[in-house]
mmCIF file with all atom_site columns, all heavy atoms in Angstrom:
data_model
loop_
_atom_site.group_PDB
_atom_site.id
_atom_site.type_symbol
_atom_site.label_atom_id
_atom_site.label_alt_id
_atom_site.label_comp_id
_atom_site.label_asym_id
_atom_site.label_entity_id
_atom_site.label_seq_id
_atom_site.pdbx_PDB_ins_code
_atom_site.Cartn_x
_atom_site.Cartn_y
_atom_site.Cartn_z
_atom_site.occupancy
_atom_site.B_iso_or_equiv
_atom_site.pdbx_formal_charge
_atom_site.auth_seq_id
_atom_site.auth_comp_id
_atom_site.auth_asym_id
_atom_site.auth_atom_id
_atom_site.pdbx_PDB_model_num
ATOM 1  N N   . LEU W 1 129 ? 40.314 90.684 96.299  1.00 99.00 ? 157 LEU W N   1
ATOM 2  C CA  . LEU W 1 129 ? 39.338 91.675 96.754  1.00 99.00 ? 157 LEU W CA  1
ATOM 3  C C   . LEU W 1 129 ? 38.400 91.046 97.775  1.00 99.00 ? 157 LEU W C   1
ATOM 4  O O   . LEU W 1 129 ? 38.046 91.687 98.775  1.00 99.00 ? 157 LEU W O   1
ATOM 5  C CB  . LEU W 1 129 ? 38.532 92.213 95.571  1.00 99.00 ? 157 LEU W CB  1
ATOM 6  C CG  . LEU W 1 129 ? 37.388 93.165 95.909  1.00 99.00 ? 157 LEU W CG  1
ATOM 7  C CD1 . LEU W 1 129 ? 37.889 94.412 96.626  1.00 99.00 ? 157 LEU W CD1 1
ATOM 8  C CD2 . LEU W 1 129 ? 36.620 93.552 94.646  1.00 99.00 ? 157 LEU W CD2 1
ATOM 9  N N   . SER W 1 130 ? 38.006 89.816 97.555  1.00 98.00 ? 158 SER W N   1
ATOM 10 C CA  . SER W 1 130 ? 37.098 89.139 98.487  1.00 98.00 ? 158 SER W CA  1
ATOM 11 C C   . SER W 1 130 ? 37.699 89.055 99.883  1.00 98.00 ? 158 SER W C   1
ATOM 12 O O   . SER W 1 130 ? 36.984 89.186 100.888 1.00 98.00 ? 158 SER W O   1
ATOM 13 C CB  . SER W 1 130 ? 36.758 87.738 97.979  1.00 98.00 ? 158 SER W CB  1
ATOM 14 O OG  . SER W 1 130 ? 37.935 86.962 97.810  1.00 98.00 ? 158 SER W OG  1
ATOM 15 N N   . GLU W 1 131 ? 39.009 88.870 99.978  1.00 98.00 ? 159 GLU W N   1
ATOM 16 C CA  . GLU W 1 131 ? 39.672 88.782 101.286 1.00 98.00 ? 159 GLU W CA  1
ATOM 17 C C   . GLU W 1 131 ? 39.661 90.131 102.000 1.00 98.00 ? 159 GLU W C   1
ATOM 18 O O   . GLU W 1 131 ? 39.451 90.197 103.217 1.00 98.00 ? 159 GLU W O   1
ATOM 19 C CB  . GLU W 1 131 ? 41.112 88.301 101.106 1.00 98.00 ? 159 GLU W CB  1
ATOM 20 C CG  . GLU W 1 131 ? 41.243 86.884 100.605 1.00 98.00 ? 159 GLU W CG  1
ATOM 21 C CD  . GLU W 1 131 ? 42.685 86.479 100.403 1.00 98.00 ? 159 GLU W CD  1
ATOM 22 O OE1 . GLU W 1 131 ? 43.361 87.081 99.534  1.00 98.00 ? 159 GLU W OE1 1
ATOM 23 O OE2 . GLU W 1 131 ? 43.149 85.569 101.117 1.00 98.00 ? 159 GLU W OE2 1
ATOM 24 N N   . VAL W 1 132 ? 39.891 91.200 101.244 1.00 98.00 ? 160 VAL W N   1
ATOM 25 C CA  . VAL W 1 132 ? 39.895 92.535 101.851 1.00 98.00 ? 160 VAL W CA  1
ATOM 26 C C   . VAL W 1 132 ? 38.502 92.904 102.344 1.00 98.00 ? 160 VAL W C   1
ATOM 27 O O   . VAL W 1 132 ? 38.339 93.422 103.459 1.00 98.00 ? 160 VAL W O   1
ATOM 28 C CB  . VAL W 1 132 ? 40.409 93.578 100.851 1.00 98.00 ? 160 VAL W CB  1
ATOM 29 C CG1 . VAL W 1 132 ? 40.337 94.983 101.472 1.00 98.00 ? 160 VAL W CG1 1
ATOM 30 C CG2 . VAL W 1 132 ? 41.839 93.264 100.436 1.00 98.00 ? 160 VAL W CG2 1
ATOM 31 N N   . LEU W 1 133 ? 37.499 92.629 101.536 1.00 98.00 ? 161 LEU W N   1
ATOM 32 C CA  . LEU W 1 133 ? 36.134 92.942 101.937 1.00 98.00 ? 161 LEU W CA  1
ATOM 33 C C   . LEU W 1 133 ? 35.709 92.102 103.140 1.00 98.00 ? 161 LEU W C   1
ATOM 34 O O   . LEU W 1 133 ? 35.036 92.606 104.045 1.00 98.00 ? 161 LEU W O   1
ATOM 35 C CB  . LEU W 1 133 ? 35.177 92.707 100.770 1.00 98.00 ? 161 LEU W CB  1
ATOM 36 C CG  . LEU W 1 133 ? 35.412 93.568 99.522  1.00 98.00 ? 161 LEU W CG  1
ATOM 37 C CD1 . LEU W 1 133 ? 34.380 93.252 98.449  1.00 98.00 ? 161 LEU W CD1 1
ATOM 38 C CD2 . LEU W 1 133 ? 35.391 95.054 99.858  1.00 98.00 ? 161 LEU W CD2 1
ATOM 39 N N   . SER W 1 134 ? 36.115 90.852 103.174 1.00 98.00 ? 162 SER W N   1
ATOM 40 C CA  . SER W 1 134 ? 35.789 89.985 104.317 1.00 98.00 ? 162 SER W CA  1
ATOM 41 C C   . SER W 1 134 ? 36.465 90.497 105.582 1.00 98.00 ? 162 SER W C   1
ATOM 42 O O   . SER W 1 134 ? 35.868 90.496 106.659 1.00 98.00 ? 162 SER W O   1
ATOM 43 C CB  . SER W 1 134 ? 36.232 88.546 104.029 1.00 98.00 ? 162 SER W CB  1
ATOM 44 O OG  . SER W 1 134 ? 35.468 87.977 102.999 1.00 98.00 ? 162 SER W OG  1
#
Side-chain angles (χ1 to χ4, degrees):
L157 175 60
S158 58
E159 294 178 296
V160 177
L161 298 181
S162 292

